[in-house]
Amino acid sequence: MESTFSTPAEAVLQREAGVPGLLTPPEDLDRVYELKRIVGFVRDLECQRVALQFPDQLLGDARAVAARLEEITGSKMFILGDTAYGSCCVDVLGAEQAGAQALVHFGPACLTPPACLLPVAFVLGQRSVSLELCAKAFEAQNPDPKAPVVLLSEPACAHALEGLATLLRPRYLDLLVSSPAFPLSLGSLSPELKPLECFGRRFPLAPGRRLEEYGAFYVGGSETNSDPDPDLSRLLLGWAPGQPFFSCCPDTGLTQDEGVQAGRLRARRRYLVERARDARVVGLLAGTLGVAQHREALAHLRNLTQAAGKRSYVLALGRPTPAKLANFPEVDVFVLLACPLGTLAPQPSGSFFRPILAPCELEAACNPDWPPPGLAPYLTHYADLLPGSPFHVPLPPPESELWDTPDVSLITGELRPPPAWKSSNDPGCSALTPQPQLELIESSPAALFLSSRSWQGLEPRRGQTPVTEAVIGRRGIAIAYEDEGSS
């Protein structure tokens, strides 16, 4: 009976941790991990210590890749296999601790600028793409050869976009090919020829053209995964709603209209904005320490919540998990300050007891001067909210009438009160009102939440509990204690 519904205690105690084996044959390592290009990168910089960052799914190849690079270059290689946050971001903190002079990032990457100037090389991978099937799928979904369309792909399929465009350009006249936004050296491009850079990609737009005029054809994903990955979600949320957006499986050529999925994502984000407007306490999760301008963004969000009359806590917990966030029941919503891919990572349904928002959604909830839904762009990177960005919207002054505009919650149906700090500027409330007794005017949200609970923890009862000798407790593990028998 025990083996049917649970694992025997002996099997748990005798279990050995497995070592991940090689995921790639040794003869394919040079091609899959582009070792020739990485060797040139290390030799050009004359680096003696190099950090290699692998995601969890590629750690099986880490030892073989590091040994091969050390043998060819003679430099010392350090494997960074455990990142404090998302594996898509460059772990500059781990590289600095290893004293590395450069870093090589393997696997999917968000391509956000790092916080420090460290030479970085990216190896996105090369997933096989059936160009003929993808070309036929593109022609089936785009019958008009004059319609403007841009080719997009997941990071591992970016190598095949130029080959796909070669098959399509004889017929399609307005075809744009995107490319990953790898870091460029200073002075590599003149300001006149600098392409548009957004969504972690570069778009070589012609003068006078805008990206909002183009439809999208995305190569990537799979037929079995119904939920879009963070990279596709970033594109669906930020793309022009009126333009068509199709995705194509690179293996089978099966296409899917992502318009319905984009509508669901936007509706979900509008719901999160309403939750943020109803919230009184906001938890700001520090989801990155290696991306540029994260300190400025954190200060901006704290100022934003204070102006809206909300309390905020800054929490540095590493990767957010339901168990970690459950320790803060007084927090109404959490805002994850991370890279675009980390912010939009899919969350298991019903796992977190409070919703997790993106910085753009908190901006829309707390800034009364933010454009209404349908007119405001969905910004996937928090740097776009800061001063100096073309999308930055400053807060209105305290005396502005926008703070007193009546607002009704679309979730509870109740009228939201104006920010608490606005009442102090009211001349009718400047006189002090005597109180008959001393009262606590303001308390922390955590203390107020604790006082409202029916159970507030064990009482100390010092001096009231009799002193007894310590006794021997149970032995074994929780699945089967020694005194429970074999039943």
Side-chain angles (χ1 to χ4, degrees):
M1 184 67 67
E2 180 182 354
S3 61
T4 303
F5 294 98
S6 61
T7 304
E10 295 79 7
V12 176
L13 296 176
Q14 297 176 2
R15 182 180 301 161
E16 296 182 359
V19 179
L22 284 179
L23 302 178
T24 305
E27 60 273 9
D28 295 336
L29 285 177
D30 293 351
R31 176 185 58 84
V32 174
Y33 290 96
E34 304 180 32
L35 298 187
K36 184 177 180 180
R37 180 168 65 89
I38 300 305
V39 168
F41 169 76
V42 175
R43 287 178 175 175
D44 292 342
L45 296 176
E46 299 180 355
C47 300
Q48 300 301 322
R49 301 168 68 89
V50 182
L52 308 179
Q53 181 179 346
F54 291 86
D56 295 340
Q57 64 270 19
L58 298 180
L59 280 177
D61 291 334
R63 182 176 180 181
V65 171
R68 185 77 62 85
L69 290 175
E70 283 188 349
E71 179 183 358
I72 299 176
T73 62
S75 302
K76 184 65 175 178
M77 301 291 167
F78 297 87
I79 299 175
L80 306 179
D82 185 18
T83 56
Y85 303 101
S87 59
C88 61
C89 298
V90 176
D91 189 7
V92 293
L93 299 181
E96 288 180 349
Q97 292 176 358
Q101 300 168 316
L103 186 145
V104 182
H105 184 282
F106 297 92
C110 58
L111 300 178
T112 50
C116 65
L117 298 178
L118 183 71
V120 182
F122 292 92
V123 179
L124 302 178
Q126 294 186 2
R127 181 181 176 182
S128 60
V129 179
S130 178
L131 297 180
E132 292 77 10
L133 294 178
C134 293
K136 293 180 180 178
F138 183 93
E139 294 173 353
Q141 300 297 337
N142 298 275
D144 186 7
K146 297 181 180 179
V149 183
V150 59
L151 291 180
L152 305 164
S153 73
E154 67 178 35
C157 298
H159 65 95
L161 287 187
E162 284 294 342
L164 179 60
T166 304
L167 298 178
L168 298 173
R169 274 183 178 137
R171 179 183 175 188
Y172 291 89
L173 305 178
D174 197 353
L175 189 64
L176 193 66
V177 181
S178 63
S179 60
F182 292 128
L184 296 177
S185 59
L186 296 177
S188 59
L189 287 177
S190 60
E192 295 79 8
L193 300 177
K194 187 176 181 180
L196 174 67
E197 185 173 324
C198 58
F199 308 116
R201 296 165 172 84
R202 291 191 176 95
F203 301 89
L205 290 171
R209 301 299 301 273
R210 298 185 304 126
L211 191 60
E212 291 78 6
E213 304 172 2
Y214 285 81
F217 187 82
Y218 181 87
V219 179
S222 62
E223 301 178 9
T224 57
N225 190 10
S226 58
D227 296 330
D229 61 348
D231 182 66
L232 182 56
S233 299
R234 171 170 59 168
L235 290 168
L236 293 178
L237 287 170
W239 208 260
Q243 295 296 338
F245 197 111
F246 295 95
S247 64
C248 175
C249 179
D251 303 322
T252 62
L254 181 64
T255 58
Q256 181 178 356
D257 188 357
E258 299 291 346
V260 177
Q261 185 67 35
R264 293 174 181 172
L265 290 175
R266 295 189 184 100
R268 170 65 179 173
R269 296 297 161 177
R270 286 194 291 268
Y271 166 76
L272 294 179
V273 171
E274 287 297 314
R275 289 291 300 268
R277 288 172 177 166
D278 291 340
R280 299 179 56 188
V281 182
V282 179
L284 304 178
L285 302 177
T288 180
L289 295 178
V291 180
Q293 295 184 301
H294 67 275
R295 296 178 183 271
E296 295 83 352
L298 185 60
H300 174 74
L301 295 182
R302 295 185 64 181
N303 181 40
L304 193 66
T305 55
Q306 182 180 5
K310 305 178 186 297
R311 285 293 192 91
S312 64
Y313 290 116
V314 179
L315 308 174
L317 307 175
R319 297 184 182 182
T321 61
K324 292 179 182 178
L325 302 188
N327 293 312
F328 307 94
E330 68 275 9
V331 176
D332 297 321
V333 294
F334 294 94
V335 179
L336 181 58
L337 187 69
C339 71
L341 299 187
T343 304
L344 299 176
Q347 304 169 7
S349 177
S351 58
F352 291 94
F353 82 111
R354 292 288 188 269
I356 300 180
L357 286 70
C360 178
E361 292 149 11
L362 183 65
E363 182 83 25
C366 298
N367 191 346
D369 208 11
W370 190 259
L375 299 179
Y378 189 90
L379 307 177
T380 57
H381 190 25
Y382 59 75
D384 296 330
L385 303 174
L386 302 179
S389 170
F391 302 101
H392 172 68
V393 178
L395 287 172
E399 61 274 6
S400 175
E401 297 179 354
L402 294 175
W403 296 106
D404 293 328
T405 302
D407 189 16
V408 178
S409 172
L410 299 181
I411 298 178
T412 62
E414 299 178 355
L415 183 66
R416 296 192 185 99
W421 62 270
K422 272 291 295 179
S423 59
S424 61
N425 296 330
D426 189 357
C429 300
S430 59
L432 296 178
T433 303
Q435 297 292 336
Q437 59 183 357
L438 294 178
E439 296 180 358
L440 182 63
I441 298 178
E442 185 178 1
S443 178
S444 66
L448 294 176
F449 182 82
L450 180 62
S451 62
S452 64
R453 296 181 61 176
S454 60
W455 186 79
Q456 301 178 5
L458 300 178
E459 299 180 2
R461 303 180 61 86
R462 295 186 180 91
Q464 303 179 23
T465 303
V467 179
T468 58
E469 296 182 356
V471 297
I472 299 177
R474 286 183 168 183
R475 298 175 180 267
I477 60 177
I479 194 175
Y481 293 106
E482 294 180 357
D483 58 348
E484 289 184 342
S486 59
S487 59

